[in-house]
Structures are given as C-alpha cells and as structure tokens.
Amino acid sequence: MLTKKGKYGLKAMVHLAGLEPDGLAQVADIAKTKFDFEKIPRSYPDRASTRRPRLLQEGKGGGYALARPANEIRVGAIVRALDGPLAPIQCASVTAFRPCDDCGDLKSCSVRLIMVEARNAIANVLDRCTLAEMRARSSADGRALMYHI
C-alpha cells in the first residue's frame, strides 16, 4: 500500500514536473498547492531529495526542482525512494529480499508465490510510467508532455 508520505511525495513531484525549465518551487508553495482537495505537508519535498536515486535538486536560493527531466524519472523510482520496496512482503522483494521466519520452502510457498506476482504487477505499471506521463494524466490539455530543450 502506498503510504501518505509516498502519496504526497508523488503529488509534489507531479507539481515540480509542471515547472518551467530552470524553475524552482519553494516548499511552502508546494505545500499550498492543492491536489485532490488535500494540502501537501511542508516536510515531504525534503525527504525525496535525501534518498537515492536523487530525484530533486535544491536551488541556490532555496526551493526545489527535478534533478532530471520528468520524462526520465520513472514513477517506480519515486515510490521506492519514498516508501521503499514495492513488494507486499519481504520474501517477495527484489531489492530487499529476506526469507520469512515461518517459511519452509521459498519455491513452494503459496503466499510468497502470489505476493511475487502482485509485486511484479505493481512494478510493471510503476516502472513503465514516467513522471511526465503521470503529469499529463492530470493535465486536461496535455501541456505537461512538452519537453524543453
């Protein structure tokens, strides 16, 4: 399940994807911007900038921008940076695999096998979609798909 931190972080990233090239958004401005009638708490943009892969860059005078173009940032990378592995249980994770204490055989554990399928389905959707595509879904006129050179 996507946490509130992940949800607000994604919303903040979508907001940043809509900035003009070389534009910066202050944390307070991102927090004030309404998405789905909820406000993004002020602390969320800071968290994404401190994790790997680095998704945000901080401006010299403060404020944030995307570290790379929105069409190069996968939604899966954002979710992993904010919330960690996509797998619903640790034994189904690709990046943070750990066998469960109560599992006798990883190859035949029915719970693990279905959770691996669930993890793969989630990863397939999130890793296929870019931040630019996500932004375009929220933009009625499609201006978010414009790429600046």
Side-chain angles (χ1 to χ4, degrees):
M1 178 186 310
L2 187 66
T3 65
K4 268 192 174 180
K5 177 173 71 172
K7 178 181 174 184
Y8 289 134
L10 278 172
K11 289 180 178 196
M13 294 293 285
V14 168
H15 176 77
L16 293 173
L19 295 177
E20 294 294 322
D22 300 321
L24 294 172
Q26 301 295 320
V27 173
D29 295 334
I30 297 170
K32 276 193 292 190
T33 304
K34 289 191 176 190
F35 294 93
D36 301 332
F37 307 106
E38 295 180 86
K39 291 184 179 180
I40 299 172
R42 293 177 185 259
S43 63
Y44 288 104
D46 294 308
R47 293 179 181 166
S49 67
T50 60
R51 307 222 176 172
R52 300 277 184 236
R54 192 163 172 86
L55 301 172
L56 299 179
Q57 61 185 16
E58 195 168 354
K60 291 179 183 175
Y64 291 90
L66 298 177
R68 299 186 311 271
N71 65 325
E72 294 178 12
I73 299 174
R74 300 282 170 184
V75 175
I78 300 168
V79 172
R80 285 181 189 94
L82 293 167
D83 278 349
L86 300 177
I89 58 176
Q90 62 193 15
C91 66
S93 179
V94 171
T95 59
F97 173 83
R98 272 193 5 225
C100 296
D101 296 334
D102 60 348
C103 185
D105 182 13
L106 290 173
K107 292 181 182 178
S108 65
C109 176
S110 59
V111 173
R112 178 182 181 274
L113 294 173
I114 198 70
M115 291 303 129
V116 166
E117 282 186 47
R119 182 255 170 237
N120 290 343
I122 292 168
N124 185 42
V125 171
L126 298 181
D127 291 338
R128 231 182 28 232
C129 185
T130 67
L131 184 57
E133 292 166 340
M134 190 174 174
R135 171 78 185 177
R137 290 178 185 203
S138 67
S139 174
D141 61 4
R143 285 182 293 166
L145 284 179
M146 292 176 36
Y147 300 114
H148 303 279
I149 299 176

